[in-house]
């Protein structure tokens, strides 16, 4: 194992991080480009962007983009429908960085990436000319040495530590044999032992009891500042308050004034309405996420009673989705709870319930759902989901419809982000989902009428 210096967050680590940067004052902040992970979208950066704004980073210097095909190929060298190669992913990022530089006039940008987004960032900086345009990089939960490194096991995947792609990225650089490209300041953030993709044993990759040849410190890189965030899960390495605080210290040399989110009285909400793809060569594989617009879909926004999920009158916003996928902008109130109703051919009518939005956002993405085969006998279906982290029954206070044991969530480990509650009755009623103090209430809609509900956590 390559020697990689690591800091566990605490007082000494804070001092070390504070010494890492000489970032300009708040009135001259460089642009930040946020890069999402495998199968994800720009929406996952919503709370991180809010925290940067709440500490004075200008909103017009914060950028997050949707990669059209965010899932990696099974073999990076073999074309696969609905998937992107490392080269395609890098080309997308390169184009977005150029777009940001042209729009802002900035000479350099900061890149912050989660999971696979870190692979894309490293590839761009090392092989795509990014070293000339990037000052700082923050990588959260990046599988920098693979999710597995097992001879004969999908060695062509970019997630294999034995892949040509990963070996080339990690080849020694400079006089110290660093794994990171020189001339750029690097920070990695990882969990101590709770990242599903940095485990020495293969439960989360479908190989229980078998060694992955990857350790908990797999996301760390020689030549970077490597910080351990105790207890966080894979996504929380990027999207948690602790991850934000560590990134802010690294970039500015100071602790943030706050890790909560400063509210605005009036909010402007917008985002994209995207869909699900189906591999025509292998229909049995089921749906997979993409970030392509569902043109012609209809979205309606309703104000709802936060205690019951019942609508408070007629829709306060509605729109037919065009080629850009945008469903807004909608001006709302930060104290209000909203339901987003999505109607699109080939999908269930999807009712998405969210907590109030404390600040404006242009990355409030929504997606209609299709019922899985296992759901078809239900009278009503409620999906409880946490996009910016996982459910951990040992660590978190969780409740769904009064039950502490969530369907599909194991009693230990942080590796499942979605629970599907199948109801035996079709009488419309309130269902509450609770997670560490965040509580969302929505209505269960009759499944026979082609409806389903989503309770989507923000935090």
């Amino acid at each position: 194992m390559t020697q990689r210096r690591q800091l566990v967050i605490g007082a000494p680590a804070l001092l070390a991080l504070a010494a890492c940067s000489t970032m300009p004052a708040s009135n001259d902040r460089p642009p930040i480009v946020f890069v999402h992970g495998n199968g994800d979208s720009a929406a996952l950066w919503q709370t991180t962007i809010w925290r940067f704004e709440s500490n004075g980073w200008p909103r017009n210097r914060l950028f997050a983009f949707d990669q059209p095909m965010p899932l990696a190929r099974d073999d990076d060298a073999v074309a696969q429908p609905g998937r992107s190669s490392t080269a395609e992913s890098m080309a997308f990022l390169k184009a977005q960085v150029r777009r940001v530089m042209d729009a802002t006039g900035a000479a350099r940008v900061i890149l912050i990436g989660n999971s696979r987004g870190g692979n894309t960032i490293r590839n761009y900086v090392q092989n795509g000319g990014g070293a000339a345009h990037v000052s700082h990089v923050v990588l959260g939960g990046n599988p920098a040495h693979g999710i597995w490194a097992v001879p004969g096991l999908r060695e062509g995947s970019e997630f294999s530590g034995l892949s040509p792609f990963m070996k080339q990225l990690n080849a020694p650089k400079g006089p110290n044999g660093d794994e990171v490209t020189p001339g750029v300041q690097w920070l990695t953030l990882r969990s101590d032992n709770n990242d599903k993709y940095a485990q020495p044993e293969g439960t989360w990759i479908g190989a229980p009891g078998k060694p992955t040849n990857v350790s908990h410190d797999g996301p760390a890189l020689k030549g970077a500042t490597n910080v351990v965030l105790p207890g966080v899960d894979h996504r929380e390495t990027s999207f948690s308050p602790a991850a934000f605080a560590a990134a802010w210290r690294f970039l500015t040399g100071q602790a943030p004034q706050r890790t909560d989110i400063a509210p605005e009285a009036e909010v402007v909400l917008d985002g994209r309405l995207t869909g699900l793809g189906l591999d025509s060569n292998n229909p049995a594989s089921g749906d997979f996420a993409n970030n392509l617009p569902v043109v012609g879909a209809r979205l309606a926004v309703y104000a709802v009673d936060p205690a019951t999920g019942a609508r408070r009158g007629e829709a306060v916003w509605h729109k037919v989705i065009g080629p850009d996928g945008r469903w807004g902008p909608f001006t709302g109130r930060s104290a209000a709870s909203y339901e987003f109703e999505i109607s699109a051919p080939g999908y269930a009518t999807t009712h998405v319930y969210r907590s109030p939005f404390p600040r404006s956002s242009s990355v409030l993405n929504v997606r209609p759902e299709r019922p899985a085969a296992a759901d078809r006998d239900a009278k009503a279906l409620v999906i409880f989901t946490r996009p910016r982290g996982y459910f951990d029954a040992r660590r978190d206070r969780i409740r769904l419809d009064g039950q502490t044991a969530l369907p599909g969530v194991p009693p230990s480990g942080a590796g499942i982000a979605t629970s599907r509650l199948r109801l035996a009755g079709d009488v419309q009623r309130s269902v509450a989902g609770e997670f560490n103090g965040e509580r969302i209430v929505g209505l269960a809609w009759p499944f026979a009428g082609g409806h389903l509900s989503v309770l989507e956590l923000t935090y």
Side-chain angles (χ1 to χ4, degrees):
M1 180 70 65
T2 303
Q3 185 69 29
R4 298 188 287 274
R5 180 175 63 90
Q6 306 201 44
L7 303 170
V8 178
I9 280 294
L14 302 190
L15 292 174
L17 275 180
C20 289
S21 181
T22 56
M23 188 59 57
S26 60
N27 60 351
D28 193 27
R29 300 291 194 198
I32 300 177
V33 178
F34 297 92
V35 186
H36 64 72
N38 195 49
D40 291 331
S41 79
L44 271 69
W45 294 109
Q46 183 179 72
T47 55
T48 304
I49 290 171
W50 283 342
R51 291 186 173 101
F52 271 95
E53 291 176 358
S54 297
N55 284 273
W57 209 286
R59 177 173 290 165
N60 63 3
R61 309 289 274 187
L62 300 168
F63 300 87
F65 303 100
D66 294 324
Q67 183 173 341
M69 296 295 178
L71 284 168
R73 294 176 176 178
D74 290 335
D75 186 319
D76 192 43
V78 179
Q80 188 175 3
R83 306 293 182 106
S84 56
S85 67
T86 55
E88 290 166 337
S89 188
M90 179 181 73
F92 174 79
L93 175 58
K94 185 173 183 176
Q96 301 312 314
V97 169
R98 173 49 57 192
R99 175 181 168 187
V100 167
M101 292 175 66
D102 289 345
T104 63
R108 287 180 178 264
V109 303
I110 295 165
L111 299 180
I112 299 182
N114 172 250
S115 194
R116 186 199 183 199
N119 288 357
T120 302
I121 289 171
R122 295 183 66 202
N123 195 17
Y124 166 59
V125 172
Q126 182 169 319
N127 301 312
H133 306 300
V134 177
S135 62
H136 297 69
V137 169
V138 179
L139 306 176
N142 173 227
H145 297 89
I147 296 171
W148 65 87
V150 180
L153 176 62
R154 292 175 54 196
E155 289 186 37
S157 167
E158 70 176 88
F159 299 127
S160 170
L162 303 179
S163 66
F165 171 76
M166 195 61 69
K167 286 181 177 180
Q168 193 267 347
L169 278 189
N170 292 331
K173 305 163 192 66
N176 299 321
D178 290 343
E179 295 173 306
V180 295
T181 302
V184 176
Q185 296 189 50
W186 296 81
L187 171 68
T188 77
L189 302 174
R190 75 165 179 90
S191 178
D192 49 356
N193 58 19
N194 204 27
D195 185 334
K196 66 183 290 186
Y197 296 126
Q199 295 292 329
E201 184 268 341
T203 292
W204 292 115
I205 62 169
K210 296 183 179 180
T212 63
N213 299 325
V214 173
S215 62
H216 296 310
D217 72 347
L221 287 164
K222 185 177 181 182
T225 298
N226 299 297
V227 171
V228 179
L229 304 176
V232 301
D233 63 44
H234 176 65
R235 288 180 175 171
E236 290 170 344
T237 59
S238 291
F239 309 123
S240 65
F244 162 73
W248 182 274
R249 293 184 193 103
F250 177 72
L251 296 175
T252 70
Q254 299 175 343
Q257 293 183 344
R258 60 195 303 167
T259 58
D260 65 338
I261 296 165
E264 300 173 312
E266 186 176 82
V267 295
V268 178
L269 304 175
D270 196 2
R272 302 178 69 243
L273 195 157
T274 60
L276 299 167
L278 184 66
D279 185 347
S280 59
N281 294 326
N282 183 20
S285 65
D287 295 333
F288 60 86
N290 63 45
N291 290 319
L292 302 180
V294 184
V295 178
R298 295 178 178 272
L299 180 132
V301 180
Y302 294 86
V304 299
D305 184 334
T308 66
R311 292 175 178 174
R312 289 176 162 169
E314 299 298 317
V316 293
W317 179 257
H318 55 83
K319 187 171 182 179
V320 177
I321 306 305
D324 63 356
R326 308 302 299 186
W327 64 261
F330 159 64
T331 300
R333 295 182 297 109
S334 63
S337 296
Y338 293 108
E339 170 201 342
F340 299 82
E341 181 188 65
I342 308 166
S343 304
Y347 295 88
T349 300
T350 303
H351 305 265
V352 181
Y353 298 87
R354 292 280 301 266
S355 293
F357 299 94
R359 296 185 66 85
S360 298
S361 177
S362 63
V363 293
L364 203 176
N365 291 0
V366 292
R367 174 175 284 146
E369 296 282 344
R370 293 192 183 109
D375 299 329
R376 296 189 185 279
D377 292 335
K379 297 295 184 181
L381 175 66
V382 178
I383 300 172
F384 187 37
T385 184
R386 186 177 178 234
R388 296 166 190 85
Y390 294 89
F391 296 122
D392 189 335
R394 300 169 303 177
R395 178 193 66 178
D396 302 317
R397 302 185 308 278
I398 318 171
R399 188 177 295 268
L400 177 60
D401 202 31
Q403 304 299 312
T404 56
L406 271 60
V409 175
S412 63
I416 301 295
T418 297
S419 177
R420 304 172 79 87
L421 177 66
R422 301 169 181 89
L423 300 178
D426 59 3
V427 176
Q428 191 175 62
R429 66 176 179 86
S430 302
V431 176
E434 301 172 63
F435 178 84
N436 289 349
E438 183 179 2
R439 188 172 192 268
I440 305 173
V441 182
L443 293 180
W445 294 73
F447 197 35
H451 297 256
L452 59 81
S453 301
V454 178
L455 308 180
E456 182 178 325
L457 293 160
T458 296
Y459 305 101

